[in-house]
Amino acid sequence: MTARLADLTWPEVAELAPRSLLAVPVGATEQHGPHLPFTVDTDIAAELCDRLAQERPVLVAPPVTYGSSGEHAGFPGTLSIGQEAVEHLLVELVRSADAFAGVVLVSAHGGNAEPVRRTIETLRAEDRRVLAWAPTGRPDDTHAGRTETAAMLAIRPRAVRLERAERGNTTPLPNLIDTLRANGVRAATANGVLGDPTGATPEEGTRILTAWTKSLTATVDAWTPPDQEEHQAEGPGDRPSGGGVS
């Protein structure tokens, strides 16, 4: 049976939900340089949720396709709903998912990290079983660079304009973060790329996706329910990882 909620009926979900996690792809609609589509973060998050569902008892929700992308507002086509809206949306979404054994938020956009973190805090305080996970990458390759380009070549190769791929700003993110927060991505890179996508291949993308899937699956497997032993020590996926890709 399909693992996607969009392909199921409510009686089928009623049967599966008590012993299944709900995986929610949390993405964005924002520029990804001159060579990648606006849906990169959503595509990656959805792919990872689908892969998780092949490994564990998981149902995959339709993706959250808009995120907190105000830092990309200098590029036409970017659509953002802001941090507060993302947080509110995710909190209410998870509150509505009590039929499931738990909820896993898979966020592939670094700009969503803070609202996702606050979402987890709110829901954990309500004793809801919820987990957040995000893929990581190199600090000099955080947006529309080699990592995301390779991943998209493996997921949606026809959407990649590889002939237009060009190097962007490869300054490590910690050295750019103040500029990005104060003035947006456009102030740091004219082409919207933070990294160097040239040389990316679909084979490399497959390896990256496989590594991310192993990390996500291991995090889910190690997840300790919050009602056991006073939360114990929080596992590596209890908070979103550091937003290595965006």
Side-chain angles (χ1 to χ4, degrees):
M1 182 176 291
T2 179
R4 291 183 177 179
L5 198 63
D7 298 324
L8 298 173
T9 65
W10 79 259
E12 292 167 334
V13 173
E15 180 180 351
L16 296 170
R19 60 182 184 276
S20 300
L21 297 174
L22 179 69
V24 182
V26 183
T29 300
E30 62 181 34
Q31 72 83 24
H32 273 77
H35 64 295
L36 292 177
F38 285 82
T39 57
V40 167
D41 298 331
T42 304
D43 293 339
I44 290 175
E47 175 71 15
L48 292 171
C49 287
D50 284 344
R51 287 172 174 243
L52 177 64
Q54 294 173 12
E55 302 289 335
R56 297 294 182 269
V58 167
L59 297 180
V60 181
V64 176
T65 57
Y66 300 105
S68 177
S69 302
E71 67 274 17
H72 294 278
F75 297 88
T78 293
L79 303 176
S80 174
I81 60 174
Q83 289 195 11
E84 290 186 8
V86 172
E87 179 184 356
H88 183 68
L89 184 155
L90 294 177
V91 167
E92 293 301 328
L93 188 155
V94 175
R95 283 173 175 165
S96 73
D98 285 344
F100 297 89
V103 178
V104 181
L105 302 177
V106 177
S107 177
H109 171 46
N112 289 337
E114 181 59 23
V116 168
R117 182 191 65 78
R118 295 197 300 262
T119 293
I120 297 299
E121 288 185 348
T122 297
L123 294 167
R124 288 270 175 114
E126 297 174 359
D127 292 325
R128 284 187 161 82
R129 191 168 187 230
V130 60
L131 174 74
W133 182 92
T136 57
R138 302 196 321 264
D140 61 344
D141 182 50
T142 57
H143 186 76
R146 184 165 183 141
T147 300
E148 289 188 320
T149 300
M152 287 299 292
L153 284 170
I155 297 171
R156 288 182 60 205
R158 291 187 177 182
V160 181
R161 279 73 160 172
L162 198 56
E163 72 281 1
R164 301 180 187 174
E166 58 186 29
R167 179 187 178 97
N169 192 334
T170 58
T171 303
L173 184 61
N175 298 330
L176 281 178
I177 194 66
D178 289 342
T179 296
L180 298 178
R181 287 173 175 166
N183 302 304
V185 173
R186 189 96 196 203
T189 169
N191 64 2
V193 177
L194 297 175
D196 185 356
T198 60
T201 66
E203 292 77 17
E204 181 181 11
T206 298
R207 292 193 296 271
I208 291 168
L209 290 166
T210 298
W212 282 342
T213 301
K214 288 181 178 179
S215 174
L216 172 58
T217 304
T219 299
V220 169
D221 288 346
W223 183 18
T224 301
D227 58 348
Q228 291 185 4
E229 298 185 21
E230 292 288 320
H231 298 259
Q232 296 187 354
E234 286 190 332
D238 288 340
R239 301 297 177 101
S241 55
V245 295
S246 60

